[in-house]
Amino acid sequence: MKLGLLGPEGTFSEMAAKKWKPDAGLIFFDDMESAVRCVDEGICDESIVPVENSVEGAVGIVLDVLLEIKSPIIGEVILPVKQCLMSKGGISDIKVIVSHPQALGQCRRYIREHFPNAEVRTTGSTAHAGKLAQEFTEMAAIGCSESANRYGLKVLKEGIQDYQSNYTRFFVFGKKMHAPTGNDKTSLAVYLEKDMPGALYEFLGEFANRSINMTRIESRPSKKMLGEYWFFIDVEGHAEDLVLQEAISALKDKCTTLKVLGSYPKAETL
Ligand SMILES: O=C(O)C(=O)C[C@]1(C(=O)O)C=C[C@@H](O)C=C1
């Protein structure tokens, strides 16, 4: 079983992959987009990518590429994220701090308060930052402690994220829809072209009227014009459940495009 993810070794995505399938053969990609597309492209059987963080919010690139792929979401993994400051040198040597933008965003206040004069640079992943920091004593990386071990860095400080409760949710993509389990979620992408009063209200009413619990709503620009959006909606239930089937067919009349992104078992609650 080949499982695609963001690399190199030592990313939080790797921790999530091990939680999902400890024995899978991991295929590391340099960027998130390739990791999202790898199942569609026949390179991997499954892939796992971060989709939202409890502090920094959505991973925009994943939402955008989701609209273009055929592989359904077959699972979700929720990972507690503890950010570490790591370097070859000591705290007083640090002149440059590197990490993935999501990780830097999770530690914004810590960096400003403790390293107001440091140069902050982004990398493709937290592990990429760790790999880079191997080369320079004055560079510190932010990422997970596993990547410090992997790249021979010292963990100078653990748990530097601004909010101690920091979780990242990952989507798993696979080749075919997951069968209903009785404890599922369904993710939908909806494009409401008509900019008219109450359009979204009416739309969401189809869930409310059927007592379908919505667990998340997110918007992304349509990229066609300012003020037009795709909505990403997660609800409880499986797309094969009768009540959700009814809601989806009612919704199709109310929007321009509706894509069922997948139904999958809910992750364990934390
Ligand atoms: O760079 C990594 O380690 C990743 O797996 C990516 C990622 C993300 O983009 O959200 C995953 C979890 C953390 O929130 C920070 C970074």
Side-chain angles (χ1 to χ4, degrees):
M1 215 288 287
K2 285 190 204 157
L3 179 59
L5 70 158
L6 179 68
E9 292 183 344
T11 54
F12 284 102
S13 298
E14 184 182 0
M15 307 308 128
K18 295 213 161 116
K19 198 167 170 185
W20 172 250
K21 276 196 186 150
D23 300 325
L26 302 182
I27 312 281
F28 293 97
F29 292 91
D30 286 341
D31 61 282
M32 208 93 81
E33 177 162 357
S34 308
V36 181
R37 292 188 189 278
C38 69
V39 179
D40 251 32
E41 289 173 353
I43 305 166
C44 293
D45 305 293
E46 291 179 4
S47 72
I48 185 162
V49 290
V51 64
E52 62 170 323
N53 171 265
S54 58
V55 175
E56 272 298 287
V59 183
I61 177 75
V62 174
L63 297 182
D64 290 345
V65 183
L66 246 174
L67 295 171
E68 295 170 16
I69 59 167
K70 291 194 200 74
S71 337
I73 303 163
I74 59 158
E76 63 170 356
V77 171
I78 297 174
L79 190 78
V81 169
K82 205 190 228 186
Q83 299 287 4
C84 298
L85 184 72
M86 49 208 174
S87 181
K88 249 174 72 174
I91 291 260
S92 55
D93 298 317
I94 299 173
K95 292 201 178 65
V96 183
I97 296 179
V98 286
S99 197
H100 186 273
Q102 276 276 343
L104 292 172
Q106 293 162 26
C107 306
R108 197 172 290 133
R109 196 174 57 219
Y110 175 86
I111 298 172
R112 200 182 56 232
E113 284 173 6
H114 294 85
F115 299 96
N117 300 319
E119 199 181 308
V120 178
R121 291 275 170 262
T122 60
T123 53
S125 72
T126 59
H128 181 216
K131 208 170 170 182
L132 210 62
Q134 277 181 308
E135 321 257 339
F136 310 96
T137 329
E138 71 277 14
M139 185 180 278
I142 292 177
C144 65
S145 55
E146 281 79 356
S147 74
N149 298 339
R150 195 107 40 169
Y151 299 113
L153 305 172
K154 289 178 278 191
V155 173
L156 303 176
K157 187 101 180 122
E158 228 174 339
I160 61 165
Q161 67 276 5
D162 295 336
Y163 299 88
Q164 285 315 299
S165 163
N166 186 30
Y167 293 92
T168 300
R169 177 174 175 232
F170 294 78
F171 274 162
V172 181
F173 298 97
K175 290 191 170 148
K176 59 175 184 18
M177 274 282 250
H178 200 292
T181 67
N183 188 30
D184 302 307
K185 268 192 206 169
T186 295
S187 294
L188 308 168
V190 177
Y191 188 53
L192 289 172
E193 204 170 355
K194 286 170 256 157
D195 180 16
M196 55 184 214
L200 186 61
Y201 174 82
E202 259 189 52
F203 191 86
L204 297 180
E206 296 292 346
F207 296 127
N209 294 340
R210 293 176 174 84
S211 302
I212 295 170
N213 187 27
M214 189 174 78
T215 56
R216 178 190 183 213
I217 182 162
E218 190 92 52
S219 66
R220 281 292 289 165
S222 71
K223 302 178 200 340
K224 289 185 194 160
M225 72 160 82
L226 192 65
E228 279 195 359
Y229 304 94
W230 276 93
F231 291 96
F232 290 84
I233 297 171
D234 292 350
V235 290
E236 284 180 347
H238 194 284
E240 287 177 22
D241 296 347
L242 198 60
V243 64
L244 207 48
Q245 277 184 11
E246 278 173 15
I248 290 170
S249 69
L251 292 169
K252 280 187 174 158
D253 297 335
K254 289 197 155 91
C255 65
T256 315
T257 315
L258 184 149
K259 187 177 174 198
V260 177
L261 303 170
S263 293
Y264 45 89
K266 273 192 221 171
E268 290 159 37
T269 41
L270 301 155

